[in-house]
Amino acid sequence: MHGDPFATLILSLALILATAKIGGHVFARMGQPPVLGELGAGVLLGNLTFAGFSGLESLKSDAALDTLSQLGAILLLFQVGLESTVAQMLEVGPSSFLVATLGVIGPFVLGWGIGAWLLPDASIYTHIFLGATLTATSVGITARVLKDLGRSQSAEARIILGAAVVDDVQGLVILAVVTGIIAAANQGVALSYGAIAVVVLKATVFLFGSLALAVYVTPRLFSLASKLEASGVLLAFGLAFCFALAGLAGLIGLAPIVGAFAAGLVLEDLHTRNFVNRGERSLEHLVEPIASFLAPIFFVMMGVRTDLHAFTQPGVVGFATMLTLAAVAGKQLCALGVVGKGYDRLSVGIGMTPRGEVGLIFANIGLTLVVAGERIVDQRIFSAVVIMVIATTLITPPALKWSFGRKAPDSTLQASGQKPGTRRPKPTP
Amino acid sequence: MHGDPFATLILSLALILATAKIGGHVFARMGQPPVLGELGAGVLLGNLTFAGFSGLESLKSDAALDTLSQLGAILLLFQVGLESTVAQMLEVGPSSFLVATLGVIGPFVLGWGIGAWLLPDASIYTHIFLGATLTATSVGITARVLKDLGRSQSAEARIILGAAVVDDVQGLVILAVVTGIIAAANQGVALSYGAIAVVVLKATVFLFGSLALAVYVTPRLFSLASKLEASGVLLAFGLAFCFALAGLAGLIGLAPIVGAFAAGLVLEDLHTRNFVNRGERSLEHLVEPIASFLAPIFFVMMGVRTDLHAFTQPGVVGFATMLTLAAVAGKQLCALGVVGKGYDRLSVGIGMTPRGEVGLIFANIGLTLVVAGERIVDQRIFSAVVIMVIATTLITPPALKWSFGRKAPDSTLQASGQKPGTRRPKPTP
């Protein structure tokens, strides 16, 4: 309880929360989603060395802040999942699967091509790895923008969120396979097809198996929990369920946010009615302040880790620009995957664009890969990937706001006086 | 996002939250406050090695869990502070000060005496240190029990919480002075009275200075914040304010929970009315689910760190029993400090009894002290202190429940069918 590191942590939290809201305010005044302001606040805090101040450099590597920001991503996805139901997801299921698959193939091919074209001297493994890095989708930003726009209940939102889950699984499988090929090449060993099959299998089993199990187990678990005589049981068991599924996803090598979203998805109002019927607040209501505390930490920390110095390296800007174009163009293939009529295909393609933290993690993994003593991803490529991640992430909120606004001129968001995000608007039916 | 340590952390959180509520349920069924069940759940999880299972041993040293449990204590004290106002505190101010001072003198003298009597071979520094260890009060347990009993608004609660703040400051001053004396003795140097004065001064300046500053700054800060166009501003600034004061307390060597309580205390409904008047939820309402998520982690982790093996060491149980009696008896002197009539003096003395995490921290510091190559606190004394901390902490909830119940036979808590903690009862006026 007493001690400097903890005092430093909570002072950092105070700074992060206050600047997040000030940044959100500034961007809201400019008609942009507040989340972009939270990212911007983070970029500012993380690059004060440009102004000669290095007192906040320790934020970048603070383990406790990293943990809290990861919990923020988990709770954000849990919250988004809570707002959807399995039935709604199955309705858009085929579209989500097609969207995700095209959104993986498109960027993979384009990324490989850009690598082969602009980095002819690099090995084929570097080109393949660049393709793999472009496949990721970070749904955190999109989910938040959809919330800010009051569109998280729309069919397009469900397609995007469903596709992001499938995409995350597919992207991780590709990453596992590509890193496997590179590791094997480094040892001069042919890659085992069995190992690839195991990765693919466990991802599939987790996604469908855990969903099926959860649908069966959830109602019984929460019916039992509602009989416990203690305060805060609904919140504790709701969070425990979310953390358990997210943790299991992490243990088998998937992204924990996939599990958190799945947990929110299978938790229906029906399961928790025992609590709500006796006058307690609903789980969505209870999770909201917790996500509202932790999610801004996630967005600010993403900004803090964004090193603007990368932009100053020679040749990086050109390569990064081409990589970004490939990343954006590749994901627009997603629009073709939407099955049925009356959907806003452009918004789906745009919604799938941000790479966010998933792309950064891919790039980080790339830094550790070596074939025959040569690094697969050097500092120049890494910087370009970081810039691509930032650009795709920064482009998405305004683009999504524009594309949704384009189709709904009667929406409340178009009313000239109203600023989005000030108060969360009710979803349009 | 991807990786084992984080997956392990969230699986641990799932386990902690679920067992906390099950433990709370079991104790509620036995008519005990649920918080004791959360502690008990932790003791169980932390001592599974007795049953031959060592898979949870890593919980004890997990840095992320430690951070989250400390945040839980911070938010718990912030929440308790929010429920009180400065005016209410000043009303009981003289009592709180007297109660705290007597509650420091009593245990200090008794602890020194017990040490001199039962450990005649140990140095006088050991005896003095034992006295210092007994002075601490951990208000976390008492605050939670008062909440569970619906008594956190009572005059006795305000005296106890106010006294705990003063006591924490006084206890830390004593600790600083005693460790200073011991360090000087080890170097053969006379203790500087200037250093003692600095410790005393900064504690006083923080407590009164920051309260005065906060009373002046708070209304302006929140009035400005209410003009920001972003969602979740009230919660973000409320938490930022709490973390800032807690962090400042920590930086100058006080317990951060003192700052968190002070932050809650000076934040009045009046300051946040701009938010509430436009239909947002109140700060108390928003903080409640966050405290409800993090506080059980604090209580479970306190239990987890309780090593029952200490009980099996020879001679420890007898010495620990005497130390516990001294700790309990010493704090009953607090009852004499209550100024005015009609107060439940016994409840005040009992409420001041638990040492909790503060006592453990004192004991930990003792382990590091050495005079002329000899340790001031050996493993045997440490074990006895740990047992004293557990015993005073475990005794308090049922004793407090009994003493409050004794004076209020018409309270809802006495209704035979109703279990405390199932639903938080409204405070009796």
Side-chain angles (χ1 to χ4, degrees):
Chain A
M1 188 64 51
H2 310 243
D4 254 8
F6 185 68
T8 310
L9 170 69
I10 50 183
L11 286 174
S12 306
L13 285 179
L15 181 70
I16 287 171
L17 289 173
T19 49
K21 292 306 157 186
I22 293 169
H25 167 75
V26 171
F27 276 71
R29 294 288 294 185
M30 303 192 306
Q32 298 295 337
V35 61
L36 209 56
E38 298 184 1
L39 266 175
V43 172
L44 195 75
L45 290 179
N47 288 279
L48 287 177
T49 45
F50 276 102
F53 181 75
S54 60
L56 294 178
E57 288 302 289
S58 59
L59 287 185
K60 290 174 186 171
S61 54
D62 190 293
L65 282 180
D66 186 48
T67 300
L68 290 171
S69 78
Q70 289 188 49
L71 280 178
I74 294 284
L75 280 159
L76 186 67
L77 270 285
F78 182 50
Q79 198 185 10
V80 172
L82 280 177
E83 288 174 356
S84 315
T85 67
V86 174
Q88 287 171 332
M89 290 301 294
L90 288 179
E91 212 175 281
V92 295
S95 288
S96 287
F97 190 81
L98 261 176
V99 165
T101 308
L102 291 170
V104 162
I105 294 172
F108 186 68
V109 172
L110 282 180
W112 189 334
I114 290 281
W117 175 37
L118 294 177
L119 302 171
D121 299 335
S123 75
I124 188 168
Y125 300 112
T126 301
H127 305 155
I128 296 178
F129 194 82
L130 272 175
T133 305
L134 292 197
T135 62
T137 295
S138 167
V139 80
I141 297 282
T142 300
R144 171 67 180 271
V145 173
L146 290 170
K147 265 184 83 73
D148 285 346
L149 294 175
R151 293 301 185 104
S152 36
Q153 299 293 319
S154 66
E156 287 82 6
R158 287 200 298 276
I159 293 175
I160 293 170
L161 296 175
V165 174
V166 180
D167 179 287
D168 201 1
V169 174
Q170 290 180 344
L172 289 167
V173 169
I174 288 188
L175 184 76
V177 172
V178 169
T179 52
I181 291 171
I182 291 171
N186 190 36
Q187 292 163 16
V189 176
L191 179 67
S192 141
Y193 284 100
I196 300 181
V198 167
V199 174
V200 175
L201 192 72
K202 71 184 182 185
T204 315
V205 166
F206 176 79
L207 206 70
F208 294 94
S210 78
L211 277 180
L213 188 72
V215 167
Y216 180 80
V217 170
T218 323
R220 283 157 189 81
L221 178 72
F222 281 83
S223 172
L224 271 175
S226 72
K227 297 193 174 69
L228 291 183
E229 288 170 5
S231 61
V233 169
L234 176 57
L235 180 63
F237 272 82
L239 291 176
F241 185 69
C242 162
F243 292 149
L245 248 66
L248 285 178
L251 276 191
I252 63 166
L254 302 178
I257 48 172
V258 175
F261 178 70
L265 203 58
V266 299
L267 261 179
E268 316 277 318
D269 286 344
L270 198 65
H271 307 150
T272 59
R273 69 185 159 194
N274 285 354
F275 295 94
V276 177
N277 285 352
R278 69 186 184 213
E280 295 187 23
R281 290 196 256 164
S282 73
L283 190 56
E284 274 180 70
H285 211 79
L286 291 166
V287 168
E288 209 265 322
I290 304 177
S292 171
F293 160 38
L294 295 171
I297 302 174
F298 172 65
F299 292 111
V300 171
M301 287 306 291
M302 273 185 63
V304 165
R305 294 201 193 99
T306 301
D307 189 356
L308 295 182
H309 287 280
F311 284 96
T312 62
Q313 294 184 25
V316 169
V317 172
F319 180 61
T321 307
M322 291 308 295
L323 207 60
T324 304
L325 289 177
V328 174
K331 283 291 184 192
Q332 300 321 308
L333 209 63
C334 292
L336 300 180
V338 180
V339 178
K341 287 194 174 173
Y343 291 107
D344 182 352
R345 288 186 163 72
L346 184 61
S347 294
V348 172
I350 295 171
M352 295 293 289
T353 300
R355 266 44 173 204
E357 81 292 355
V358 184
L360 290 175
I361 290 161
F362 278 30
N364 258 323
I365 293 170
L367 277 177
T368 65
L369 297 176
V370 174
V371 171
E374 211 172 317
R375 276 165 67 189
I376 294 299
V377 171
D378 62 20
Q379 196 57 50
R380 194 174 48 123
I381 297 175
F382 179 77
S383 297
V385 170
V386 170
I387 292 170
M388 176 277 294
V389 168
I390 298 167
T392 54
T393 305
L394 289 181
I395 287 165
T396 304
L400 210 53
K401 186 167 168 265
W402 163 80
S403 77
F404 267 122
R406 184 184 50 100
K407 284 254 171 160
D410 57 331
S411 156
T412 51
L413 292 163
Q414 297 305 102
S416 62
Q418 175 143 9
K419 308 288 185 313
T422 313
R423 201 83 40 82
R424 200 185 340 156
K426 290 267 171 299
T428 47
Chain B
M1 188 62 52
H2 311 244
D4 254 9
F6 184 68
T8 310
L9 170 69
I10 50 182
L11 286 174
S12 306
L13 285 179
L15 180 70
I16 287 171
L17 289 173
T19 49
K21 292 306 157 185
I22 293 169
H25 167 75
V26 171
F27 276 71
R29 293 289 292 186
M30 303 191 305
Q32 297 296 336
V35 63
L36 209 57
E38 299 184 0
L39 266 177
V43 172
L44 195 76
L45 291 179
N47 288 279
L48 287 177
T49 44
F50 277 102
F53 181 75
S54 61
L56 294 179
E57 287 302 289
S58 59
L59 287 185
K60 290 175 186 170
S61 54
D62 189 296
L65 282 180
D66 186 48
T67 300
L68 289 172
S69 78
Q70 289 188 51
L71 280 178
I74 293 284
L75 281 160
L76 185 67
L77 270 285
F78 182 51
Q79 197 185 10
V80 171
L82 279 177
E83 288 173 357
S84 314
T85 67
V86 175
Q88 289 171 332
M89 289 301 295
L90 289 179
E91 210 176 283
V92 295
S95 289
S96 288
F97 191 81
L98 263 176
V99 164
T101 308
L102 290 171
V104 162
I105 294 172
F108 187 69
V109 172
L110 282 180
W112 189 334
I114 289 280
W117 174 37
L118 293 177
L119 303 172
D121 299 336
S123 77
I124 187 170
Y125 300 112
T126 301
H127 305 155
I128 295 177
F129 195 83
L130 272 175
T133 305
L134 292 196
T135 62
T137 296
S138 167
V139 79
I141 296 283
T142 300
R144 172 66 180 270
V145 173
L146 290 170
K147 264 184 84 72
D148 285 345
L149 295 175
R151 292 301 185 104
S152 35
Q153 299 294 319
S154 67
E156 288 81 7
R158 287 200 298 275
I159 294 175
I160 293 170
L161 296 175
V165 173
V166 181
D167 179 287
D168 201 0
V169 174
Q170 291 181 342
L172 289 167
V173 169
I174 289 189
L175 183 76
V177 171
V178 170
T179 52
I181 292 172
I182 291 173
N186 190 37
Q187 292 164 16
V189 175
L191 179 66
S192 143
Y193 284 101
I196 299 181
V198 167
V199 173
V200 175
L201 192 72
K202 69 183 182 184
T204 315
V205 167
F206 177 79
L207 206 70
F208 293 94
S210 79
L211 277 180
L213 189 73
V215 167
Y216 181 79
V217 169
T218 323
R220 283 154 189 85
L221 178 72
F222 281 83
S223 172
L224 271 175
S226 72
K227 296 192 176 69
L228 291 183
E229 289 169 2
S231 60
V233 169
L234 176 58
L235 180 64
F237 273 82
L239 291 176
F241 184 70
C242 161
F243 292 149
L245 249 67
L248 286 178
L251 276 191
I252 64 166
L254 302 177
I257 48 172
V258 175
F261 179 70
L265 202 59
V266 298
L267 262 180
E268 315 277 316
D269 285 344
L270 199 65
H271 307 150
T272 59
R273 69 185 160 190
N274 284 354
F275 295 95
V276 177
N277 285 352
R278 67 186 188 214
E280 294 187 22
R281 289 196 256 164
S282 72
L283 190 55
E284 275 181 69
H285 210 78
L286 291 166
V287 168
E288 209 264 323
I290 304 177
S292 169
F293 159 39
L294 294 172
I297 301 174
F298 172 65
F299 293 110
V300 171
M301 287 306 291
M302 275 184 63
V304 165
R305 294 201 194 98
T306 301
D307 189 356
L308 295 182
H309 286 280
F311 284 95
T312 61
Q313 294 184 23
V316 168
V317 171
F319 180 60
T321 306
M322 291 309 295
L323 207 59
T324 304
L325 289 177
V328 173
K331 283 290 182 192
Q332 301 321 306
L333 209 62
C334 292
L336 300 180
V338 180
V339 179
K341 287 195 172 172
Y343 291 107
D344 182 352
R345 288 186 164 71
L346 185 60
S347 293
V348 171
I350 294 172
M352 296 292 290
T353 301
R355 266 44 172 203
E357 81 291 356
V358 185
L360 290 176
I361 289 162
F362 277 29
N364 257 324
I365 293 170
L367 276 178
T368 65
L369 298 176
V370 174
V371 171
E374 210 173 315
R375 277 165 68 189
I376 294 300
V377 171
D378 62 19
Q379 197 57 50
R380 195 174 46 126
I381 297 175
F382 180 77
S383 297
V385 171
V386 171
I387 291 169
M388 176 277 292
V389 169
I390 298 168
T392 54
T393 305
L394 289 181
I395 288 165
T396 304
L400 210 53
K401 186 167 168 263
W402 163 81
S403 77
F404 267 121
R406 182 185 52 98
K407 284 253 170 162
D410 57 332
S411 154
T412 52
L413 292 163
Q414 298 304 102
S416 62
Q418 176 143 4
K419 308 287 185 311
T422 313
R423 201 86 37 86
R424 199 182 345 153
K426 290 269 171 294
T428 47

